[in-house]
Amino acid sequence: MYDPKPEHKFSFGLWTVGNPGRDPFGDAVRDTRNPSQLVDLLGEVGAWGVNFHDNDLVPIDASPSERDRIVSDFKKALERNGIVVPMATTNLAYDPVFRDGAFTSNDPEVRAFARQKTMRAMDLGAEVGAKIYVFWGGREGTETDAGKDAIDALKWYREALNYLCEYSMDQGYGYRFALEAKPNEPRGDIYLPTTGSMLGFISTLDHPEMVGLNPETAHEHMAGLNFMHAIAQAIDADKLFHIDLNDQKFGRYDQDFRFGSEMIKQAFYLVQILEDTGYSGSRHFDAHAYRSSDYEDVKAFARGCMRTYLILKEKVEQFKNDSEIQDLIAEARADDGSMDPHLGSYSSEKAKALKAYPFDRSALGKRSKPYERLDQLLIELLLGAR
Ligand code: GLT
Ligand code: MN
Ligand code: MN
C-alpha cells in the first residue's frame, strides 16, 4: 500500500545513498559504491529517479575515455533498473579551487573555471536526459566580509547564471534552472541564504522564466524558518521547479536526516501543500543514512523516506475527509460575504466607503478561532488515534 511507484516521482542523489558517512570529525564508515551499484540499490528499493553532481559520476581528473566508459556503464545501469535522471548539478564546493567560492570567488580565473566546469557538467546531464539543473552555492559566501564586496559578488553570481542560461539555450538543452538556498555551512555565511532571497534574486536575471527554486527542508529549518511557508511562496510565484526533502532539528548544522524523521507536523503540512496544489516535479530526497548504518540500513533509510511520504499523503486525504476537522476549518474561515464591497482591488469610491465604515472593533476583538481543537485533532490523526 505504501510501495513507491514511478508516478510518485521519488528520486535520490548519487551522493545521498552513496554517502559513506564521512564528517568533519571522522572518516568514512561505509565502502564507496560506484554509480552503477548505487543505481542498482535505488532500483532495488523502488526509486524512480537518480540525480548527480558531475563528479559523483565522473571523477574530476578522469580522462575523456574514462568518462565515456563510466557514462556508458551508468546508462546500462539506468536501463536495467528502469531509472531516469530528472536532475543534474555541478560540484562547485569540494575541490580546493573553490575555497573562496565559485561564481563569486574574488579570483576571476576561478570564476571563469566555475563556468567552464558547469558547462561541461550541463553537457553530461543533458546526455542522460536531465531537464532540471540545480545550483547550490555552497561556497558562495564568506567567513569575513572584510575582503569581498557583497554587491560585486551578487553581480558575478547574476552574470554567471545569465551566461549559463544562454549556454543552455544555445545548445538546445531545454534546462530549467533551480536555485537552492542555504544559510550557512560550509561557508560561515552563504549569499542568498533563504528561498525568499533566491526568489528576489531570480527577478533580476536576464531569463527569469527559465530559473526557479530547489528549496530544501533542512536549509530553512537550520535558520528556524517555516519550510511550508517558503514552499507556499515558491508555488505562488510559480517557481517550485524541484524540491529537496529531508529532515532536521531547528538551528543545527545541515543534518540531512531521513524525510519525516524529526518534525512530523511540518512534514505533514509540506506533503499537504505539494499534493493539494498538484506539484508535478520530482520528490527528491536529499538526505543520507545515519553514520551508524551499513548498506542494509541505507536501503531501510531510502525506503523510509518514500514510505513516510506516502503515509503522510494518506493522512492528508484523511484530514480532507474528516468532517469534524473540516467543520472546524469551515468555522475558522467563515465568510458571509458582507465585507466583499470593502475587500479586493482598490477604487477611490471603495476607499471612501471603507474609511467611513463603522467597525465595532471591540466586538471584532471578541471573535475567537477554534485552533486548539483543530490542532489537537490533527495531532490525534497523525498519532493514529483517529
Ligand atoms: C550537498 C548539499 C545539498 C545540495 C546538493 C546539490 S550537494 O549535499 O548539502 O543540499 O542539494 O549540490
Ligand atoms: Mn539539497
Ligand atoms: Mn542539506
Side-chain angles (χ1 to χ4, degrees), residues 42-57:
L42 290 175
E44 192 183 330
V45 300
W48 158 79
V50 63
N51 308 308
F52 58 83
H53 298 84
D54 49 354
N55 305 135
D56 298 336
L57 186 57

Side-chain angles (χ1 to χ4, degrees), residues 32-317:
T32 305
R33 301 246 162 135
N34 68 39
S36 302
Q37 291 173 311
L38 293 171
V39 172
D40 289 340
L41 184 153
L42 290 175
E44 192 183 330
V45 300
W48 158 79
V50 63
N51 308 308
F52 58 83
H53 298 84
D54 49 354
N55 305 135
D56 298 336
L57 186 57
V58 181
I60 194 163
D61 289 319
S63 67
S65 66
E66 276 165 350
R67 175 200 188 275
D68 293 347
R69 185 187 48 76
I70 291 168
V71 174
S72 124
D73 285 353
F74 183 63
K75 283 180 177 163
K76 282 183 210 140
L78 292 174
E79 220 161 280
R80 91 175 152 257
N81 289 284
I83 284 186
V84 297
V85 178
M87 175 271 259
T89 184
T90 328
N91 191 327
L92 297 171
Y94 192 83
D95 195 87
V97 70
F98 300 123
R99 61 203 289 171
D100 186 36
F103 303 133
T104 66
S105 166
N106 258 336
D107 186 331
E109 197 167 348
V110 173
R111 298 202 298 274
F113 174 70
R115 291 188 189 190
Q116 181 200 68
K117 190 173 194 290
T118 304
M119 288 190 287
R120 291 181 178 171
M122 287 167 69
D123 300 343
L124 180 63
E127 195 181 329
V128 287
K131 286 290 169 210
I132 296 285
Y133 205 84
V134 162
F135 290 83
W136 170 65
R139 298 282 174 197
E140 313 292 14
T142 59
E143 286 70 40
T144 168
D145 287 319
K148 203 186 277 190
D149 185 315
I151 297 178
D152 276 347
L154 289 176
K155 197 181 87 199
W156 295 332
Y157 216 156
R158 177 181 306 114
E159 282 172 359
L161 289 171
N162 288 340
Y163 181 103
L164 295 164
C165 280
E166 297 276 348
Y167 179 70
S168 175
M169 290 187 281
D170 208 10
Q171 301 297 310
Y173 287 157
Y175 276 127
R176 295 198 306 155
F177 290 1
L179 310 187
E180 178 176 351
K182 184 173 176 180
N184 58 273
E185 198 211 14
R187 295 309 295 262
D189 287 285
I190 299 179
Y191 296 124
L192 303 167
T194 64
T195 296
S197 324
M198 282 295 182
L199 202 50
F201 183 62
I202 289 170
S203 65
T204 72
L205 299 176
D206 285 351
H207 302 283
E209 70 291 343
M210 245 182 93
V211 187
L213 299 161
N214 178 38
E216 173 174 318
T217 322
H219 297 178
E220 303 288 317
H221 284 186
M222 286 169 77
L225 300 174
N226 184 317
F227 187 56
M228 188 273 279
H229 290 188
I231 294 302
Q233 195 184 0
I235 291 173
D236 181 61
D238 210 8
K239 288 295 184 197
L240 189 64
F241 286 9
H242 198 264
I243 191 165
D244 279 0
L245 301 168
N246 56 21
D247 214 345
Q248 159 99 24
K249 290 193 178 85
F250 272 177
R252 306 216 173 162
Y253 69 96
D254 189 20
Q255 295 179 307
D256 292 335
F257 285 154
R258 190 178 75 258
F259 177 67
S261 60
E262 287 292 337
M263 299 177 62
I264 297 176
K265 219 163 128 184
Q266 291 300 316
F268 170 83
Y269 294 135
L270 178 61
V271 172
Q272 185 180 46
I273 196 169
L274 293 177
E275 296 302 321
D276 284 357
T277 59
Y279 167 72
S280 63
S282 299
R283 272 81 174 157
H284 174 234
F285 298 104
D286 186 7
H288 47 78
Y290 303 138
R291 194 162 177 267
S292 37
S293 300
D294 61 8
Y295 273 102
E296 270 318 297
D297 215 33
V298 169
K299 288 181 214 162
F301 146 84
R303 290 192 176 104
C305 287
M306 299 185 283
R307 190 173 161 83
T308 298
Y309 188 99
L310 293 173
I311 293 170
L312 287 170
K313 190 173 161 183
E314 187 187 68
K315 296 282 180 191
V316 167
E317 274 306 300

